[in-house]
Structure formats: C-alpha cells, structure tokens
C-alpha cells in the first residue's frame, strides 16, 4: 500500500506558495518599534596597524545613537570569534588560532575588516556618520596568495602564527606510499589550483538584535543555517548572554551554501550593541559587504601523484596541498581542507595506500570556510583530474581505467586507507548508466562532426564520492570537532489530528517543509497539508545542529523517524486498549492500527484524539501525543555517482559550450524525486560556475578585492547551462532508518571535475579553473 | 546614496536652464543610479529627463533613421522601423545588458556616459551617425572623445541621434561573461559613403579599424577581414581579458559581423 504524497512522490513544494507570492518572512522586512540601524565602517586596506580612531565628529553627526569599536567590546568582556574544530599538526602541536575580534582592536587584516559600528536613527545617517570617523592607519604590505604567504620572507600577519602557518597536517601511511612509488611501473603527476569562490546566496546576511531589560533576555533574528549552534557559541565562548537568556531565530533564509553556518562578527556585534543601547538594532549586509565578508570557499594549490602498475591498477596516491584560510580562522575552517578533504582522497577506488599532507596558512583575504561540498569538491577535483591524467598516460579510456579500479559492489563495508568506512554503493552501475545516458560510445562520431564544423569536442567523466550526513558525534569528536553532530526532532499531534514537526535542521531553500511532511504522511497517514514543519527558533525547537553537509534528511529526517517510532509505540498501546486486544496483536501501517486477524481498526487521528481526551484510556499511560527524539547516526553516508560532461569549443574565441550533461547519482532512497532533481541541477550549476565562470581575484600588490560586484564576479546564469540528464541509482544506506544518503552537494562536487576533464579532453592540454574563454584560447594556441 | 535635489522638467530648454555645475541629467539611470547608491557621486541636483516627450520616439525620414535621446533600448530593439531600416541596430539594442536595463536604459544616456564597453558607440561610429544636442549637431566620431568623455559641454543635452540607413550592416559582440557589456564588439556597415568598421570594448574609447574598412571596400566578405590583425598595444587589459585576447576578438567579431550583415 502506498500513501498519497508519501515517500517517493514528487510532491510540489509546500513552501513555494509563500515564497513566490512575496509572503516569505525575510529578515530585512522585519522592523521593531524603536529600532535603530547599524552600519559597519570597514577597512579600506588589506593590512594595516590602527594607530588611533577619532569618533568625535561622527558621534555628533545627525541621528547618531552611538558608535562602538573593538575596544568597547573587549572592555565589555566579549570574547573573540572561535574556530570549533581543532587540528593537530604533524609535530603534535595544535593549530594556530590567532585572536579574531568582532571588530579590529589594533590591526586590520583584510579589506572589509570591521573597524567601527555606527548606530543611527536611519541607515543613511549611519553611513553619513561613518564617513566622519577618522582612523589613523599604518599601512603594511599584504600577502593574498597562499603559496607566497607560506614562503620565507612573507609579511607576518599574526604574531601567534609564525610563517603564517596555521597547521601542517598529514593523513595516511607515508612509508607505504613511498615504497609503492619506488617500485611502480608508472607515476602520473598533476598540479592543480582550486579557485576561490564567493558563496553568493540570494539573501545577504542580516541581523536584528533585541534586548528586554525586564527579563534580561536577548533575541537575535539572523540569517543562520544553525541557530542553536549560533546561540551555543555566542553564549559559551563570546559571553553575549547565558544560553537561557539568548534566543536565536533564523526565519525564512534565502540560501546559504554553507556561508550562513558560521558565527560572524556582524551578527555578534549587532546583538551585543542592542543591549548596550537598550534598543532594537538592525544590520543588513549590502551585496558589496557580502562579497567582502561572507566566508569564501576553496582556494587550494595542490600537487598530486599516482602510482600504477603495468595492468593499469592503482598502487598508491600522494597529495600535497596548500590551503588558504584567509585572515582569520572561521568557525569550521580548519576542518574543510583536512577531515572533509583528505579523508575522501580514496574516491571510488581501491587504492592500497594514500598519503596526504596539507599546509594551511593565513593571508590578507576574507576568511575561507565551508562552501557547498566543503572539502569534498576539492578532493573529487584532485582525484578525478588525477584519474584522467593517469588514464591518458597509460593510454587507457578514462572510464575503463576507472571501472578497473573501482571498489566493487560486494566489498562493503570497505575501509579506505584514509580512515573512512564506506557502507554501500554500486559505482560501476552509476558509471555505466551515465555512459548510456550520454551515449558515451557515440562520442567519436560526434567529435568527428564537430571537427568538420571547425570545433573541438571533448567528453569528461567524474566519479565522485562524498561523506555526508555530517555526523556521527563520536567519530567527529575523535577528529577534533568541538560539537556533537546529532539531530533532534519532536513530532507533536494536535488533538484534531494535525501534526507539528519541530526539527533542529534548518531549511534555507532545501524544501524541508515538504520532504519532512512526506515522511509523516507516509508513516502516519496524515495528509501533508495537515503537517506543519517548525524550524529555526531556539525557543520552539528542543535543540538542533542545523543544516549543512547534506545532513538534514539523513540525520534530521532520521530523528523524525525515531520520534514517529515512539508515537507508533504509544499509539499501539492506546489502540490495544480501545479495541480490547493485546498490544502484540496490533498491526500498524501508514497510520492505521488494526487487530491482527480481525477487521477492527483505528486511525492515527482517532488515537491522537483519545490521547488528548483520555476518557477511556490505559491507566498506566501518560495522556497526550508528542514525542521527542535525538538521533546520532553510526556512520557518515556516502552518496556517490558519475557525472559526464560533453563540450564543444570554438577555437577562435575559446568559448566552451556545454552540449550535454549526464548525472547518475546514488543518493540511497529518495523521498521527493523532484526536489532531489532540483538539488542536482543547482549543485551542477554551481559546479559549472566554479569550472567556467567564478573566481575571487585579489590584487596581489594592494590586497584589494577586484571581484567585488556582479560586474566582475561571474555567476552562472540559465543560458550558461545545458539541459541536464539526471537519474539516480539507489542503493539504500544501511546507516540510517530511511536508507537515505543526501543530495545537496553532489552536483557541486562532481561538476567541476567532469567539466574540466571534458575541456582538457577537447584541447589536449591541462588548464586551471575557471576555464575562461581567454585561458582556453591561449591553451589552444600555445605550443 | 547622498541626498540631492530633484527636478523633472517637461521641455528641453527648461532642462538646460535647470542644470548647474554640480548637477546631473538623469536619463534611464542604469549607470547613474548604481553609482549614487554606492556613494561614488554626489550631485547637487538630478534633472530627470523622463518628462520631456519630445526626446522620445523613432522615425524614418527618407534615407535617415532618427532615434530620440530618451528612447529606451527595448523600444529600439522592438521597433518595426528600426528592424526594417537597420536590423543590426535593433539586434544590438536587444543585447544590451539584461531585460531590466533595456526597459529603463536610453540611447542618450548610454552615449553621454560613453562607457568604453557600451554597445551603442559602435553603432553610431559604424554607421556614421550624427548626435544632435540642444546646441548643435556633432558627428559620432567627434562626439566620442575618450574614456567616459564626450564632446558635450556643461549643460549640453543630447536630443536625438540620426543614422544614415546603410546598404547593409552587422554587429557581433563578445560579451563580458559577468557584466555582459561588450568585451569586444564590432559594428560593420556598408554605406553610401563607404565601408565603416567600429570597435567597442577593446580600447579606451570606440574606434574605427581602417585596415578592415579598406579590405572590405574591395571585398565585403568575412574572409577579407579574418587575416587582419589589430595592434594590441593601447587596447584594454583587465581581469577579464588581456589586450592580446581583445585584439584577437576584433578579428573574429569583425568577420562574424560581416557574415551577419543584412
């Protein structure tokens, strides 16, 4: 029996009605009585000492309520922003986390660093006053490029981090890898740059801080992916307020892609300032500020080598990466190039030994942290560009080389040399499906046709794997995480049979209000329109770790299932009592409780009503029908699959036209295929953006951000994208009760490698991302 | 945005007398308004030209197409008169910016700003157009002086542009992938007075490629220009493209413009 709008149905998104009719609740639309407006004076320099700050003229400007600097926050006992994941270097020393004040105290270290917070009756007045602040800067020579920052003689950005080194980390068996390389028949090598990206969610970050002098409670409305974690950090580490006196609400949030995971300076300053002036304060980033201060993504420089034998079998893999952390260590920055990267370097392949070393360093740039995929796109890019390079060296078809080295479907659980235990998958199935979808075998004929038309044609494969459903707590704790990564849920029946689901996940575009309602509809037979999903408010939801790492369904959805299981267990007892049967004889399917072997049955709604009106009720049972659950999974999930891109290139201009794209993804069980397909489209769009169009560029001499607006930073648009062929292969995940793996990041992980392999295949030369027309044209015309 | 005074006159003379030294005319506002929002300009007064009906409209008079200064890009792109008289001009207008820009931006505002990567300067110079102001008439080549600089004097206001209708014309643009301005755009026209080739986006200001004009005068075909190179020195170089690449694009776009000419 299947249920209408249950698991597996492409239900239209419930939340879209309010979004597309302009009835969403976004932060900048919220206003409070007595509200003042905050504006940050930011550093125009990449690196400078602050000698003095003169606020006198600004403070007397029209409409100014108050102006604060970093010194005021320090004097108030407010701590610096933290990095919540400790990384240990090769020599056993902890990573260097220099002070990161919400506003600069003695120096500014990137363009856009916060210098002062001006609060006025209107935003324009705040901006006018900010222009009257006189800051005495001693301008220093900046360094923006990670390789240069880690080289001897580079400008020293923090005295706590000599040589600008944050950590020098390693993973894997170096001796085994060296031995394998020494005896290998072939060694293939590649040098790669993983370009720095700006996250660009549609809604910029914003904060509305309120203080209730009567109760002493602070309320922060903010654009967060994880409001409970924001509250925890602001309370425990920053000293904003005790956790019970601080409420954090993330209302409708217009996209995040990781950039709204982090606890930032601006939100912290806004809530602190609201108490200082005892008035509501609102701050909304403009797009220029988003470019300057939203944590960037990627920015790796990597050298990799692969050892193979004469039969095309992989023997060993070694990778050396330099990762740019930016000017300060952001909330989870340290984990991205280490445990979200090095641990995925086995890809889909049986590789006997792997060694990875990562040097992370500071530069005079915006901090870098997790961005859609976070570490895993970087890993996939290294692995999959390496595989194509090796296949070419070995004169093998790139898909044959991969199929020869894949971990086989009967090998699970499979332990990689880089501490992951893959739980399930079928890599040959997805690759063969993708090849069929794009007619891989017909490529030669299409290439000949393109050549006849004066065009170059290429095809490129990426067989990616990701560790998602970021959890389990014990595993991440052993690797340095400062938090647990479980999830919570409450399923609450109302007496009339409708349901409210409280989840610690946070939807900022993912469609949780639909997907989670489908789970309830399927398990408990409640129409999805009678299911309300509540998220994003620390005063409503028990607790939550938030949404990132493709974890909401695998972890948050599983917590809902656990709560549902408790509802069912309790309902069986009530049903047994009402139908005068023993609990063991009660059968349950999709919200219908029946007595085995009879036609007696009760619906979930009837049972819920009985639980709230317990006139005839089991004596030993509590009334009511609401259950809480916390779920901590046993393992990560491992979505994997193959994407194949096909391109045609105009040699006269170097323009790359993506003519076809096939995605065969194993996401485990799928709740809503339409939403999953949308996630693949969006992820691939961002992957294509990275490969062809996007790239943060700093002027190396001045440290100025040159790509500070959409006039210069190129986001992918509809006409940059092909029609996608999308399919899923579904091997259920054994590590969670829904059997789901997560789909949010796959496209951004697979996309860049598939597309760059296609371009390299077409032009016969290696180039770095973004493959702009000029870069491609130059490669075609170089010798 | 800093505060400023605002006036919306209904006639050209009124507008001209309203403008002072620190003031700005507001046409479609597609460059000026973002500049104000970023606090990069601080005019004392904006004189909004949108209420002056005589500045709007398209007409064909014999061998000449006339476009009023406040005519929006979308109106040029959709005009049956333009499509019939100079299809390349309608096609050029249909690719300026995006739909929002085309619905607000005007020909007068665009050419008065003289952004080096704007499309219209290529059409004006390529077609040998005349810019009419409240004071005089100026040939397109004399009008566009240098980077963001025109022949307009203080308080002088473009009223219309007249284009001689060519035998055939074509425009090929390589858009900047981010802004969709012309990284390089080439307008080619075969006119009664000879062949003209105008290049925008590649240099600090629109310019004529005279080697290509000579080659096309004897053989109006893509092959005639596909071997003609432009000296890269003096061309624009920025994070989007080097001067070498822009020089290459002039050749490629010129050939495509000739091929597209109709």
């Amino acid at each position: 029996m299947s249920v209408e709008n249950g698991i597996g149905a492409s239900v239209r998104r419930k939340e879209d009605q309010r979004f597309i009719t302009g009835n969403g609740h976004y932060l900048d639309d919220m206003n409070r009585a007595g509200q003042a407006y905050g504006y940050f004076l930011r550093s125009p320099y990449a690196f400078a000492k602050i000698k003095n700050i003169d606020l006198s003229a600004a403070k007397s400007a029209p409409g100014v309520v108050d102006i604060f600097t970093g010194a005021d926050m320090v004097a108030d006992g407010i701590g610096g922003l933290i990095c919540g994941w400790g990384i240990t270097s090769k020599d056993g020393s902890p990573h260097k986390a220099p002070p990161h004040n919400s506003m600069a105290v003695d120096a500014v270290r990137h363009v856009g660093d916060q210098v002062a917070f001006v609060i006025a009756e209107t935003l324009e007045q705040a901006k006018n006053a900010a222009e009257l602040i006189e800051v005495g800067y001693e301008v220093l020579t900046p360094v923006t490029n990670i390789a240069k920052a880690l080289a001897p003689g580079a400008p020293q950005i923090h005295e706590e981090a000599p040589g600008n080194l944050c950590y020098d980390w390693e993973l894997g068996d170096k001796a085994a890898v060296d031995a394998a390389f020494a005896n290998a028949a072939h060694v293939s090598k590649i040098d790669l740059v993983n370009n720095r990206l700006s996250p660009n969610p549609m809604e910029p970050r914003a904060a509305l801080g309120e203080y209730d002098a009567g109760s002493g409670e602070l309320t922060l409305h903010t654009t967060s992916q994880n409001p409970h974690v924001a509250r925890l950090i602001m309370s425990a580490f920053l000293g904003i307020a005790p956790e019970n006196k601080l409420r954090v609400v993330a209302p409708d949030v217009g996209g995040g892609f990781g950039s709204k995971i982090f606890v930032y300076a601006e939100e912290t300053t806004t809530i602190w300032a609201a108490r200082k002036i005892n008035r509501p304060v609102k701050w909304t980033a403009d797009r220029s500020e988003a470019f300057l201060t939203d944590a960037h993504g990627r920015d790796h420089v990597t050298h990799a080598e692969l050892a193979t034998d004469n039969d095309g079998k992989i023997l060993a893999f070694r990778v050396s990466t330099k990762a740019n952390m930016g000017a300060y260590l952001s909330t989870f920055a340290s984990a991205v190039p280490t445990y979200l990267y090095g641990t995925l370097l086995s890809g889909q392949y049986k590789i006997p030994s792997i060694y990875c070393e990562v040097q992370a360093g500071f530069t005079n740039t915006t901090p870098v942290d997790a961005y859609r995929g976070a570490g895993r796109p970087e890993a996939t890019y290294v692995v999959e560009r390496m595989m194509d390079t090796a296949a070419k060296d070995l004169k093998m078809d790139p898909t044959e080389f991969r199929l020869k080295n894949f971990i086989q479907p009967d090998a699970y659980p499979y332990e990689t040399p880089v501490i992951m235990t893959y739980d399930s998958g079928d890599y040959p199935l997805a690759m063969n499906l993708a090849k069929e979808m794009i007619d891989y075998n017909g490529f030669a004929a299409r290439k000949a046709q393109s050549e006849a038309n004066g065009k170059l044609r290429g095809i490129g494969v990426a067989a990616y794997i990701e560790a998602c459903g970021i959890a389990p707590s014990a595993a991440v704790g052993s690797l340095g995480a400062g938090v647990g990564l479980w999830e919570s849920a409450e399923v609450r029946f109302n007496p009339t049979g409708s349901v409210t689901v409280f989840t610690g996940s946070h939807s900022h575009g993912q469609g949780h209000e639909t997907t989670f309602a489908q789970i309830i509809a399927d398990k408990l037979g409640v129409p999805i329109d009678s299911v309300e999903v509540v998220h994003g408010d620390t005063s409503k939801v028990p607790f939550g770790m938030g949404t990132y790492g493709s974890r909401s369904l695998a972890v948050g959805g599983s917590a809902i299932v656990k709560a549902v299981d408790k509802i069912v267990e309790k309902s069986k007892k009530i049903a047994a009592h009402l139908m005068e049967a023993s609990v063991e004889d009660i059968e349950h399917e999709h919200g219908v409780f029946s007595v085995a072997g009879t036609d007696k049955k009760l619906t979930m709604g009837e049972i819920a009503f009985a639980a709230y009106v317990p006139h005839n009720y089991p004596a030993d049972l509590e009334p009511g029908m609401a259950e809480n659950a916390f779920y901590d999974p046993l393992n990560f999930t491992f979505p994997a699959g193959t994407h194949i891109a096909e391109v045609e290139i105009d040699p006269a201009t170097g323009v790359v036209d993506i003519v076809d794209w096939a995605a065969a993804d194993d996401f485990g069980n799928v709740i809503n295929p339409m939403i999953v397909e949308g996630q693949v489209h969006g992820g691939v769009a961002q992957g294509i953006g990275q490969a062809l169009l996007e790239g943060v560029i700093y002027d190396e001499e001045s440290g100025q951000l040159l790509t500070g607006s959409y006039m210069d930073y190129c986001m992918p648009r509809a006409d940059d994208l092909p029609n996608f062929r999308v399919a899923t292969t579904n091997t259920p995940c054994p590590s969670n009760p829904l059997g789901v793996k997560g789909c949010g990041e796959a496209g951004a992980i697979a996309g860049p490698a598939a597309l760059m392999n296609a371009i390299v295949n077409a032009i016969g030369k290696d180039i770095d991302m973004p493959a702009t027309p000029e870069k491609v044209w130059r490669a075609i015309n170089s010798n | 945005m800093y505060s400023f005074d605002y006036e919306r006159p209904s006639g050209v003379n009124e507008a001209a007398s309203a403008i002072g030294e620190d003031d700005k005319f507001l046409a479609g506002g597609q460059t000026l308004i973002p500049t104000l929002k970023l606090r990069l300009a601080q005019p004392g007064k904006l004189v909004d030209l949108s209420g002056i009906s005589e500045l709007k409209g398209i007409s064909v008079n014999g061998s000449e197409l006339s476009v009023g200064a406040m005519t929006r890009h979308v109106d040029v792109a959709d005009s049956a008169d333009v499509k019939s008289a100079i299809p390349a001009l309608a096609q050029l207008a249909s690719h300026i910016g995006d739909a929002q820009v085309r619905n607000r931006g005007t020909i007068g505002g665009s050419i008065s700003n003289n952004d080096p990567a704007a499309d219209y300067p290529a059409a004006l110079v390529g077609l040998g157009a005349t810019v009419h102001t409240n004071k005089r008439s100026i040939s397109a080549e004399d009008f566009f002086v240098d980077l963001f600089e025109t022949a307009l004097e203080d308080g002088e206001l473009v009223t219309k542009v007249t284009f001689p209708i060519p035998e055939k014309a074509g425009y090929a643009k390589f858009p900047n992938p981010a802004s969709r301005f012309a990284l390089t755009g080439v307008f080619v026209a075969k006119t009664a007075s000879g062949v003209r080739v105008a290049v925008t986006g590649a240099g600090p200001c629109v310019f004529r490629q005279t080697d290509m004009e000579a080659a096309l005068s004897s053989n109006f075909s893509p092959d005639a220009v596909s071997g003609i190179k432009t000296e890269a020195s003096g061309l624009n170089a920025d994070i989007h493209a080097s001067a070498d690449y822009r020089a290459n694009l002039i050749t490629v776009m010129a050939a495509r413009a000739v091929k597209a000419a109709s």
Side-chain angles (χ1 to χ4, degrees), chain A residues 655-659 661 684-685 688-689 692-694 714-724 755, chain B residues 175-178 180:
Chain A
V655 167
V656 174
D657 182 18
I658 305 169
V659 292
W661 195 286
V684 173
I688 289 171
L692 286 189
L693 307 165
E694 299 183 48
C714 187
M715 290 293 285
R717 294 176 233 198
D719 64 354
D720 294 314
L721 307 175
N723 285 318
F724 302 115
L755 185 47
Chain B
N176 175 321
R180 308 234 165 153

Side-chain angles (χ1 to χ4, degrees), chain B residues 143-183:
Chain B
F143 180 82
F144 298 110
V145 174
D146 205 343
L147 185 79
F148 292 111
E149 192 185 333
T150 68
L152 290 171
E153 291 162 3
D154 284 347
E156 191 174 7
L157 174 62
V158 174
T159 54
K160 67 177 179 180
V161 180
T162 52
F163 297 93
I165 297 172
E167 199 177 306
K168 54 165 73 175
Y171 180 61
K173 165 184 178 176
F174 190 95
N176 175 321
S179 69
R180 308 234 165 153
F181 271 83
L183 201 62

Side-chain angles (χ1 to χ4, degrees), chain A residues 124 131 650 653 712 717 774, chain B residues 1-2 178 240 242 245 256:
Chain A
E124 290 302 320
E131 291 183 3
D650 176 0
T653 60
D712 293 309
R717 294 176 233 198
E774 176 164 2
Chain B
M1 195 180 290
Y2 298 107
H240 300 289
S242 67
Y245 184 63
R256 290 181 186 178

Side-chain angles (χ1 to χ4, degrees), chain A residues 17 234 262 406 427 452 469 648 664 765:
Chain A
Q17 177 68 23
M234 286 184 177
F262 321 120
F406 274 162
Y427 310 143
E648 193 175 65
K765 287 166 189 155

Side-chain angles (χ1 to χ4, degrees), chain A residues 577-578 609-618 623:
Chain A
H577 176 83
L578 292 174
F609 184 78
Y612 283 104
V613 188
H615 297 163
N616 175 17
Y617 201 70

